[in-house]
Every structure is written in C-alpha cells, then in structure tokens.
Amino acid sequence: MTATPSAPNPIPSPDASPSAVPLVDPETGERLLDPETGEQLTGVPKEQPLEFVDPETGETLLDPETGEPLSAEAVPEDVPLPEAEPAEAVAASQEVAEAVSQRSETIGSVVETLDSIALSVADMRISLWDVLIVILTLGAVAIFAWILSKGAHSLLSRFSNLDMTRRLLAEKLINLLVWSLAILIGIDLLGIDLTAFAVFSGAFGLAIGFGLQKTFGNLIAGIILLMDKSIKPGDVIAVADQAGASTFGQIRKIGIRAVSITTRDQKEYLIPNENLMVNQVENWSYSSKNVRMQVPVGISYAADIHHAEELMLQAAKACKRVQQTPPPTVWLDGYGDSSVDFIIHCWINDPEDGIGNVKSEVLKNLWDLFQEHDIEIPFPQRDLNLRGNDQFDQLIAAVAQRVGQDGKVPEKNGQSAAGED
C-alpha cells in the first residue's frame, strides 16, 4: 500500500521538526489502527522515499499486512477523523443472525430487535442476542462435556488393574480435563473477544484470590491425598476437632471439597480436605486393617488369678470377630482399691464394623464363665471408722434409753417406734 501526499495535505520538511500526525489509508480514507493495541497510528514524514517513522523511537513504521515500510497520507489536525464503531464481543452471534435472517424474515426481525438492545463496554458492544447465543452455546457444550465425562468414567471402570484410589484420582483428573477443554471449545465456537471483559478481570481475580482460596486449597488437598494414598475410601480413621472430640468412622467418599466419613450410628461427617492435610489423623487401616483392642476386667482379691486368666482367654477366643493369629493375651494391670485389674488384648481385622460390639461380646462370655467357676467380680468397698466424742456419747445414751431390756423399741400409741416409718 503506497500513496503520495495530495496537495491539500502538505508535508512539512524534516528541518521544521514536524509533529506527529494521524495516519489514514489513502485508498479507503479510514484511519489506521495498531493491530495489537487498537490505538490510532501517528507518524512524522521523513525524506524521500516518502515514509513515516515512529515519533518516539524514530523507527520506520511497517505495514502490518505486507511488512513493507508504511506509506500513508498525513491528515492535518483540523480535519476530523471518522469514529470507529464498537466491535462485537461475540463474533458468532453475527454469523448466526445472518444465517437466521436468510431463512426467515420473521425470525430475522426478532433477532434484529434482540440485537438492538445492547450495552457498550469500552470499544466492545454486547447485545441481548449475544447473551442468548452465549447461554445456548454454553448449555450445549456443558451437555457434551457431561456425556463425555460419563463415557470416560465407564471406560475407566473396565480397567481391573486400577484400585479404588487410583480410579478415583483418574476420574477427578478426567473431569478437570474435560471441563477445561469444554470451556475452551465454547470460547472458540463463540468467537468471544476476551478484551471485552478486561474491565471485570481485576475484580474477578480478587474474588478468586480471597473468596475461593479455600475451595481451591481443598481441591488440591484432595488430589494430594489421593496421590500419596495416605487416606483412601474404605479406611477407618479417627479425627479430633478443635474442641478435642474425636470422630471415628469409615471414609465413604473423597470429594472436591470434603471427605465424607460415616460413623457406626450412620451419622455422616463432611471434613474439609485441608483439615486432613494439616491435622493429625489416626488411620486404623493405613498399612494394615489389623487393630488391637483392650478390654479391662477386675476380679476379687480372694479369686485365683491364674484360673481367672484362663477364663479371660477362653472368653476372648469364643468371640467370632477376634483373630486367633495373633492370639489374645491377658495382662495384669495393677492392684486396685477393690479389685485386681487385668486387661484383655485381642485383635480384629474389620474395624469398620465397630469395636464396641466386640468388647460387649467378650464381657458377656466372661460373665458366664465367672458365674460358672465362682469367681467374684468385686464392687467398691469402704470401711467407716467413728471417733468417740461428747455428742456421740449422748446419742448412744439416748438410743439406749429407748431400747428395752429385750432389745425392742418400746411401743407408742399402740404401735412400735419402728413402725412409725
């Protein structure tokens, strides 16, 4: 594109230190814009051949299409430049509108009405028709992504060499990949000019940084938990909250935000993934599902402790859920105030079914065995010592006066004093 300046537009000589002037296309008369920034191109003429250089850097301006030195027509400052119309933010909406208008005039008129209701943001124009096209396209892309993710999960379930943890991790990664790809496809189909939303990008970034930081933190924490397999679905864990109360249950699901734990009473707790990353977690089935439980027992000081130990082992072995390998053991824990204290140690390999029912069954079996072999289970006993004093002696004397020679309480109004109660 090469043109020479016309007579009405004189070019000042380089010696006059000319100022930068706006540039227009000599063929169409439209102003020339920077393809990157969209700003008006300006320049000052240099010696023949007629070329323009950047007023700030002094470099020759090049044609963005051909790459050759730009020769344009300088416009005096008193000549008004044509105003550029706002560009459409959604390029696909114009193509759809033209296609619909060619098929039906009635629908075309409706489309024109929707397109006339518009909002201009900077150099962009967003109409109601653009919004409708965006909603329909995003809905179609979302349905396609949902079907694609379900199909990927179905194919993934056929791989028998993947355990539950790896399969769950693969499903989450597939979901992220599919939905990210769907968003990019939707933007490409719509031809959205993202510069139209540059005004809102700062506020949106702050919203993600402050409002959604916990959400993204829990998402990353859940992926890390699945990758290192420290916590996986089916594990039995105990987690303490801020008040110190321990929550014991089995992991049912590791979600994007939280881990679902179901207790023995079918209460379901949702614990954020970050809490399991930073807090101490007691995992009963991390490397092995074998768990040793303790059952405290006390017997009388008059009982045979050796025979009692045999009965304790017999009661533990009679429980169905108690493992025979390693076998149950009995420890003498100490001498209490009223009893000789023992602890029965027994192993189970199914902690998800609870431990209270195992302890109950062992104690029931032991009760029957103790009753059969006359081994006493003691109760607390206390000795009471009374010291003599004047008030106590007066009380004894008063009681003695009321007691007859035969040791009975004298009658009062036809009834014994003992019958007054």
Side-chain angles (χ1 to χ4, degrees):
M1 179 176 61
T2 306
T4 57
S6 57
N9 300 321
I11 305 300
S13 62
D15 298 336
S17 300
S19 59
V21 294
L23 304 181
V24 297
D25 192 325
E27 297 180 358
T28 62
E30 297 180 357
R31 62 177 183 172
L32 296 177
L33 304 179
D34 191 316
E36 297 182 357
T37 63
E39 299 179 352
Q40 169 69 51
L41 287 177
T42 60
V44 294
K46 59 181 291 189
E47 296 179 357
Q48 297 297 330
L50 186 59
E51 296 177 353
F52 286 88
V53 297
D54 192 307
E56 296 181 358
T57 62
E59 297 179 355
T60 302
L61 297 176
L62 301 179
D63 192 322
E65 298 180 357
T66 63
E68 299 177 355
L70 181 65
S71 295
E73 183 178 354
V75 180
E77 296 182 356
D78 56 349
V79 177
L81 297 176
E83 295 292 336
E85 297 182 357
E88 292 288 340
V90 182
S93 62
Q94 287 297 107
E95 299 177 0
V96 176
E98 293 175 0
V100 170
S101 300
Q102 292 177 359
R103 292 181 176 272
S104 174
E105 295 182 358
T106 304
I107 300 178
S109 61
V110 175
V111 171
E112 291 179 359
T113 303
L114 295 176
D115 189 60
S116 62
I117 305 174
L119 173 66
S120 295
V121 179
D123 291 336
M124 296 297 168
R125 179 178 179 275
I126 303 175
S127 65
L128 188 59
W129 173 249
D130 295 335
V131 175
L132 180 61
I133 292 297
V134 169
I135 293 175
L136 294 178
T137 304
L138 292 181
V141 171
I143 295 175
F144 172 75
W146 181 80
I147 296 175
L148 184 61
S149 63
K150 289 297 181 181
H153 293 172
S154 178
L155 292 176
L156 188 63
S157 62
R158 298 182 181 180
F159 291 94
S160 58
N161 57 340
L162 294 179
D163 57 14
M164 183 180 298
T165 304
R166 293 180 179 178
R167 183 179 303 172
L168 184 58
L169 176 60
E171 289 179 356
K172 290 185 178 298
L173 294 179
I174 288 175
N175 282 339
L176 290 176
L177 180 61
V178 168
W179 286 101
S180 300
L181 183 62
I183 293 175
L184 295 178
I185 292 176
I187 293 176
D188 183 67
L189 291 177
L190 292 172
I192 296 178
D193 187 358
L194 297 181
T195 57
F197 305 98
V199 179
F200 308 103
S201 60
F204 186 71
L206 290 177
I208 293 179
F210 290 98
L212 301 179
Q213 60 178 348
K214 288 294 184 181
T215 302
F216 282 96
N218 286 322
L219 172 61
I220 301 302
I223 294 177
I224 294 176
L225 290 175
L226 290 173
M227 291 179 64
D228 66 2
K229 298 183 181 180
S230 58
I231 295 176
K232 54 186 179 296
D235 284 352
V236 179
I237 66 173
V239 182
D241 57 14
Q242 296 180 352
S246 180
T247 301
F248 163 81
Q250 185 179 23
I251 296 179
R252 298 296 184 186
K253 179 184 178 182
I254 300 180
I256 294 178
R257 188 191 67 85
V259 174
S260 172
I261 298 179
T262 303
T263 61
R264 290 291 298 164
D265 53 3
Q266 295 303 309
K267 291 182 179 179
E268 191 166 1
Y269 291 86
L270 298 178
I271 302 177
N273 296 332
E274 279 191 344
N275 290 7
L276 300 181
M277 287 284 295
V278 300
N279 296 335
Q280 180 177 344
V281 179
E282 185 179 350
N283 193 339
W284 290 17
S285 52
Y286 176 59
S287 58
S288 173
K289 297 185 71 174
N290 289 335
V291 177
R292 190 181 73 169
M293 55 176 299
Q294 300 177 347
V295 182
V297 177
I299 63 173
S300 172
Y301 277 93
D304 184 356
I305 62 173
H306 301 288
H307 186 44
E309 286 184 2
E310 296 177 357
L311 296 178
M312 293 177 194
L313 290 175
Q314 183 179 347
K317 293 179 180 179
C319 183
K320 297 180 180 180
R321 291 181 55 197
V322 173
Q323 299 296 305
Q324 302 302 319
T325 304
T329 57
V330 177
W331 289 1
L332 177 59
D333 188 50
Y335 302 109
D337 295 337
S338 304
S339 63
V340 182
D341 299 329
F342 290 85
I343 296 180
I344 304 175
H345 296 277
C346 49
W347 293 83
I348 60 175
N349 63 355
D350 50 357
E352 65 274 6
D353 292 335
I355 60 175
N357 47 9
V358 178
K359 180 178 179 180
S360 175
E361 185 175 355
V362 172
L363 292 177
K364 287 180 181 178
N365 295 339
L366 190 58
W367 174 271
D368 296 335
L369 292 174
F370 279 178
Q371 294 293 327
E372 182 179 350
H373 294 84
D374 296 327
I375 294 181
E376 181 184 359
I377 300 177
F379 51 87
Q381 299 180 9
R382 299 289 184 270
D383 293 332
L384 181 63
N385 296 323
L386 299 177
R387 295 183 178 181
N389 52 48
D390 295 340
Q391 290 82 3
F392 184 72
D393 293 339
Q394 293 176 4
L395 176 62
I396 296 299
V399 173
Q401 291 179 0
R402 299 194 61 180
V403 178
Q405 296 295 331
D406 55 354
K408 295 182 179 180
V409 179
E411 295 183 357
K412 180 180 180 180
N413 296 332
Q415 296 180 349
S416 64
E420 293 180 357
D421 295 338

